[in-house]
Amino acid sequence: MQVMIFAAGKGTRLKPLTDVIPKALVPVEDIPLLQRVYRKVIEAGADKVVVNVHHHAEQIKNYCKLLEARYGVPVTISDETERLLETGGGIKKVRGEYDAPVLIHNCDILSNVDLQTLYGAIGEYDALLLVSERRTSRYLMFDDAMRLIGWKNIDTGEVKSPYEEVRNGTAKNTHLYAFAGIHVINPKVFPLMDEWGDAFPIMDFYLTHCAQADFRGYLKKDLKLLDVGKLETLEKAGEFLKII
């Protein structure tokens, strides 16, 4: 399994903690978030791990050396110190590292998902996005075959899609699910990134190319997930770990 862990975020919602440490090293039950995700992907079979860094980059680089020594799987650092490349640009920068599907995992996400099963489910798809029936205001849109066809903000009514029938609301059998921030991307779609700049959101990439590439949703109905990206959810993280 080949993996990229996003650890470059500034963690502004976790201030003042992130004034002195990066979000990736914020502890939950005395274990930094990055270690929790790294350990989970290793247990799922990861043999290649890339971690991108930006905010407090040296702290993360040094910590990755400790993780390598403890768990035995090396970490390649993608340094975004000069410029934060966003989720899509971050993947594009290191695409040459990969010759097989890549599991993308945010460092601040805790969940009960079986990463090995998710990774194995990509098959010949161009990307596989973990989704759930969680309540939110912004949803990904899928057809009956769970093929990505668009995005919708149900509060504002805004829709993004390359399909006219989705944009005008006439598409039939459309299903809305919440994205979980974990996905698998197949290197065969990396050439589509050539037309993109250095920094861009991966979801914009998916929504732009979903009519020409086969991006699918992976629905986990019993998904338990916590985004530990803000102080109020960080306070709940310890209890959350007891139920996953």
Side-chain angles (χ1 to χ4, degrees):
M1 178 189 294
Q2 302 189 3
V3 177
M4 182 173 189
I5 300 174
F6 285 141
K10 295 180 179 179
T12 53
R13 295 178 299 167
L14 283 173
K15 283 179 170 289
L17 294 175
T18 48
D19 287 337
V20 293
I21 61 172
K23 176 173 64 174
L25 299 188
V26 170
V28 172
E29 300 289 282
D30 298 323
I31 299 176
L33 288 166
L34 178 59
Q35 182 176 342
R36 290 191 175 278
V37 174
Y38 178 87
R39 185 173 63 188
K40 184 168 183 173
V41 300
I42 297 303
E43 291 171 350
D47 54 10
K48 177 189 284 289
V49 178
V50 173
V51 175
N52 69 344
V53 296
H54 174 79
H55 185 57
H56 295 306
E58 290 304 316
Q59 290 187 42
I60 300 177
K61 291 178 183 179
N62 291 333
Y63 195 77
C64 284
K65 293 177 182 177
L66 297 177
L67 292 177
E68 289 179 342
R70 180 171 182 178
Y71 295 97
V73 175
V75 176
T76 298
I77 297 294
S78 178
D79 196 324
E80 299 180 17
T81 304
E82 293 186 2
R83 183 188 181 191
L84 198 56
L85 300 179
E86 301 186 66
T87 49
I91 297 170
K92 180 182 178 180
K93 183 176 188 290
V94 296
R95 59 182 174 168
E97 294 283 338
Y98 300 109
D99 57 7
V102 188
L103 174 74
I104 310 295
H105 201 304
N106 290 345
C107 73
D108 58 356
I109 290 179
L110 304 176
S111 80
N112 67 338
V113 66
D114 184 327
L115 295 178
Q116 189 174 52
T117 299
L118 172 66
Y119 186 82
I122 189 170
E124 294 301 313
Y125 300 146
D126 293 319
L128 191 64
L129 287 67
L130 178 66
V131 296
S132 71
E133 296 173 326
R134 172 176 57 89
R135 282 183 171 272
T136 183
S137 60
R138 294 168 292 182
Y139 290 93
L140 294 180
M141 307 172 73
F142 299 88
D143 64 14
D144 283 340
M146 287 300 289
R147 186 163 184 161
L148 180 67
I149 56 174
W151 172 95
K152 183 173 184 177
N153 185 322
I154 62 171
D155 288 342
T156 65
E158 180 186 6
V159 173
K160 298 178 182 179
S161 174
Y163 298 99
E164 183 178 357
E165 64 271 25
V166 175
R167 295 194 303 272
N168 64 26
T170 61
K172 297 180 180 179
N173 302 322
T174 299
H175 309 277
L176 275 62
Y177 298 111
F179 181 47
I182 303 172
H183 49 120
V184 185
I185 186 168
N186 197 315
K188 65 182 179 179
V189 300
F190 285 163
L192 292 176
M193 293 182 175
D194 289 344
E195 63 190 71
W196 292 72
D198 292 335
F200 59 93
I202 191 61
M203 193 52 64
D204 285 357
F205 173 82
Y206 285 150
L207 292 170
T208 297
H209 296 288
C210 64
Q212 63 189 116
D214 194 357
F215 302 144
R216 302 285 178 126
Y218 180 94
L219 176 62
K220 182 172 174 59
K221 287 184 173 292
D222 63 342
L223 180 65
K224 294 181 175 64
L225 182 144
L226 185 68
D227 177 351
V228 196
K230 47 190 177 181
L231 291 173
E232 51 264 44
T233 50
L234 178 62
E235 293 174 357
K236 302 174 183 177
E239 289 300 314
F240 179 79
L241 290 174
K242 298 176 183 178
I243 66 171
I244 62 173

